[in-house]
Amino acid sequence: MRDGLPEGLASLAGFQLSKCGWWLEQRLEEELEPLGIRVRHFLVLAMLSTSETLSQQEMADCLLLDPTLMVGLVDDLEARGLCERTRDPRDRRRYRVRATEDGRALHRRARTLADEVGAEVFGPLSDDELSTVVRAIGRVMEPFWAEQALHPRRKR
Amino acid sequence: MRDGLPEGLASLAGFQLSKCGWWLEQRLEEELEPLGIRVRHFLVLAMLSTSETLSQQEMADCLLLDPTLMVGLVDDLEARGLCERTRDPRDRRRYRVRATEDGRALHRRARTLADEVGAEVFGPLSDDELSTVVRAIGRVMEPFWAEQALHPRRKR
DNA sequence: TATTGTTATACTCTATAACTATA
DNA sequence: TATAGTTATAGAGTATAACAATA
């Protein structure tokens, strides 16, 4: 990289956006290490923090992860007492995964770190710009999540 | 995903942004398949399209890829006559990788597809919003690329 | 017969280490 | 001694397939 990004790359909005997402994730990964969790564990806790109970299948769809990966993820959290599995009485194949008080407390600490990373990365933006970007991305992703709810895809 | 994304996830700007980047990349991957290249090959061509010549090392830094991965990537392009390697006469360890005319032509076709994917994904945004987002992300990434030029990191 | 969750296995991708040639 | 590029290999991460329990 002699003198900055080649213009052919810099002008690709998708490339810049992808790397921005990667940067945010890596920084958060670093910040979460002292808490003993990965970004994925944090995302599970984030879901559970506003959902009472969820099945592993539902969480896999939201995170775009293969359901087999949710097993180990929930295992990790349960082993540390951050969430608990109970069978769904109305469909005993499913678990009802719920965050414990410890899990909610850890989520709050992790969420603070995530917000700090966000403030760091988005530092160059004014409050107006930031809220425009955040709302814009949210609106852009609405059709994606709608489609995802109907025809779940996986990978990554 | 019973009723949309759990709020704990939806409110995480970093999560939405990461998935947006993933979505853009996956859609482009699909669109590029008929051209017989992956997104990575396209990104290499994009760099070469505005840079005359670059070393494999420089390109690895820009794409945040391990230099060993650039070998196969440039091999692929060279085998199809899309780029060519010549030794740098001033430092015969380095290659000067250059896009051929065919490479530039394929890049233009791929860039058109990338722009179409962008138009599709960012469809919900007004022109003003889109340009605000694109410029904002570009500004956010400036310090990242500056740091990357000094202390290259890898992975992904 | 289909679905949730589980396990074990195979596969893909990436990083690591060792090497050549240049500097 | 250090760097660009190459190769082969080991490791991490992921998907695939088969299974048990339930619907």
Side-chain angles (χ1 to χ4, degrees):
Chain A
M1 208 161 15
R2 245 161 352 198
D3 25 46
L5 264 199
E7 180 56 23
L9 269 190
S11 67
L12 274 170
F15 174 74
Q16 295 266 38
L17 202 138
S18 281
K19 292 308 181 192
C20 184
W22 178 85
W23 185 21
L24 283 159
E25 194 171 327
Q26 290 308 306
R27 283 289 298 112
L28 183 55
E29 208 77 74
E30 293 167 12
E31 295 297 321
L32 290 181
E33 206 185 338
L35 301 191
I37 57 173
R38 307 276 312 267
V39 168
R40 297 179 161 200
H41 300 102
F42 165 59
L43 294 175
V44 170
L45 290 177
M47 282 189 282
L48 294 176
S49 76
T50 54
S51 286
E52 198 59 30
T53 72
L54 291 168
S55 73
Q56 294 183 188
Q57 204 77 232
E58 289 169 322
M59 294 193 284
D61 288 341
C62 290
L63 298 184
L64 277 67
L65 288 179
D66 192 283
T68 61
L69 297 177
M70 290 304 304
V71 179
L73 227 40
V74 175
D75 280 352
D76 295 341
L77 296 174
E78 196 175 36
R80 288 186 51 187
L82 301 173
C83 75
E84 51 193 16
R85 290 190 248 230
T86 56
R87 286 288 175 184
D88 183 336
R90 281 194 288 272
D91 180 348
R92 290 187 42 74
R93 290 172 306 183
R94 293 171 179 255
Y95 283 129
R96 300 180 6 161
V97 183
R98 177 195 317 271
T100 63
E101 255 323 304
D102 280 1
R104 292 178 191 278
L106 188 67
H107 168 256
R108 283 189 293 272
R109 290 176 59 193
R111 173 74 198 224
T112 300
L113 294 172
D115 291 340
E116 284 170 8
V117 167
E120 167 191 328
V121 167
F122 294 120
L125 303 186
S126 69
D127 289 352
D128 270 7
E129 281 174 313
L130 179 53
S131 77
T132 298
V133 168
V134 169
R135 276 186 292 105
I137 298 293
R139 251 179 41 246
V140 160
M141 292 305 284
E142 272 171 26
F144 175 84
W145 295 119
E147 168 71 14
Q148 175 69 5
L150 298 178
H151 310 288
R153 20 178 168 178
R154 295 290 149 63
K155 292 180 182 178
R156 263 252 83 197
Chain B
M1 208 160 17
R2 245 160 354 195
D3 25 45
L5 262 200
E7 180 56 23
L9 269 189
S11 67
L12 274 170
F15 174 75
Q16 295 267 36
L17 202 138
S18 281
K19 292 308 180 192
C20 184
W22 179 85
W23 185 21
L24 284 160
E25 194 171 327
Q26 290 308 306
R27 283 289 299 113
L28 183 54
E29 207 78 74
E30 292 167 13
E31 294 297 320
L32 290 181
E33 205 186 339
L35 300 189
I37 58 172
R38 308 276 313 267
V39 168
R40 297 181 161 198
H41 300 102
F42 166 59
L43 295 175
V44 171
L45 290 176
M47 282 188 282
L48 295 175
S49 76
T50 54
S51 286
E52 197 60 31
T53 71
L54 292 168
S55 72
Q56 296 182 186
Q57 205 77 231
E58 289 170 321
M59 295 194 284
D61 287 343
C62 291
L63 298 184
L64 278 66
L65 288 180
D66 192 283
T68 61
L69 298 176
M70 290 303 305
V71 179
L73 229 39
V74 175
D75 281 352
D76 295 341
L77 295 174
E78 195 174 38
R80 289 186 51 186
L82 301 173
C83 76
E84 52 193 16
R85 289 190 247 229
T86 56
R87 286 288 174 185
D88 183 336
R90 281 194 287 271
D91 181 348
R92 290 186 42 72
R93 291 171 306 183
R94 294 171 179 257
Y95 282 129
R96 300 183 3 162
V97 183
R98 177 194 316 270
T100 64
E101 254 323 304
D102 281 0
R104 292 177 191 279
L106 188 67
H107 168 255
R108 283 190 292 272
R109 290 176 59 196
R111 173 74 199 222
T112 300
L113 294 173
D115 291 340
E116 285 170 7
V117 167
E120 168 192 329
V121 167
F122 294 120
L125 303 185
S126 70
D127 289 353
D128 270 6
E129 281 173 313
L130 179 53
S131 77
T132 297
V133 169
V134 169
R135 276 186 292 102
I137 298 294
R139 257 189 25 255
V140 160
M141 292 306 285
E142 271 170 28
F144 175 84
W145 296 118
E147 168 70 15
Q148 176 67 7
L150 298 178
H151 310 287
R153 21 177 169 180
R154 296 288 149 64
K155 295 183 180 176
R156 260 249 84 196

